[in-house]
Amino acid sequence: MLFRSTIIRCADWFGISLIVTGEGAADPYGPKTVQSSMGSVARVQVVQTDLENYLQEWKEATVYAAVLDGQPVGKLGKKSNGILLIGNESKGISPSLLKSVPVQKITIPRKGRAESLNAAVATGILLSHLI
């Protein structure tokens, strides 16, 4: 679960204080995650909940969904608030979740031939463009 600690560290780096994960996600407070987060786990709250219900509660916030067919993130400019939705590395964001709330689809333009990016790497790149 090192990718999770990387996402926690990225959130800490960019001043994000809350990460919300879906139910059944790996334990963010496992020994390896805590150690590899380099202290960020103490500064970033991680909550597990039903994401569809959570997103329904935040109707005033723009939800930016990281997908392959979205608008290039570099064209958005900096944002002062919003929710960044990152999917599972192998399956992406679940179709039901994408349909449950309005989302603005964004992507990292691909220049090479790799099929996808690691979720933590994508999170860092997206945050660097948005914040």
Side-chain angles (χ1 to χ4, degrees):
M1 292 306 142
L2 293 182
F3 83 90
R4 169 157 300 187
S5 63
T6 304
I7 290 175
I8 293 169
R9 286 173 69 181
C10 284
D12 191 19
W13 181 267
F14 288 102
I16 295 168
S17 60
L18 175 65
I19 295 174
V20 179
T21 67
E23 294 173 328
D27 178 16
Y29 303 106
K32 288 185 179 182
T33 301
V34 170
Q35 180 182 14
S36 59
S37 78
M38 302 296 291
S40 292
V41 74
R43 293 181 292 273
V44 177
Q45 180 183 11
V46 181
V47 175
Q48 291 183 341
T49 190
D50 179 278
L51 288 177
E52 288 186 33
N53 288 334
Y54 178 82
L55 293 174
Q56 294 290 336
E57 294 174 15
W58 291 94
K59 292 181 181 176
E60 72 280 355
T62 302
V63 178
Y64 299 96
V67 295
L68 293 175
D69 63 343
Q71 175 183 4
V73 68
K75 293 185 177 183
L76 292 178
K78 302 297 182 189
K79 302 297 174 189
S80 60
N81 62 23
I83 296 170
L84 178 58
L85 190 57
I86 302 290
N88 175 288
E89 288 188 30
S90 63
K91 298 176 186 172
I93 301 169
S94 76
S96 65
L97 189 57
L98 286 173
K99 291 177 185 175
S100 69
V101 294
V103 297
Q104 182 169 355
K105 293 181 177 181
I106 60 173
T107 194
I108 301 165
R110 175 176 43 186
K111 303 294 183 196
R113 296 187 301 194
E115 291 183 18
S116 64
L117 287 172
N118 168 283
V121 170
T123 300
I125 293 169
L126 291 170
L127 290 176
S128 75
H129 282 278
L130 294 171
I131 295 180

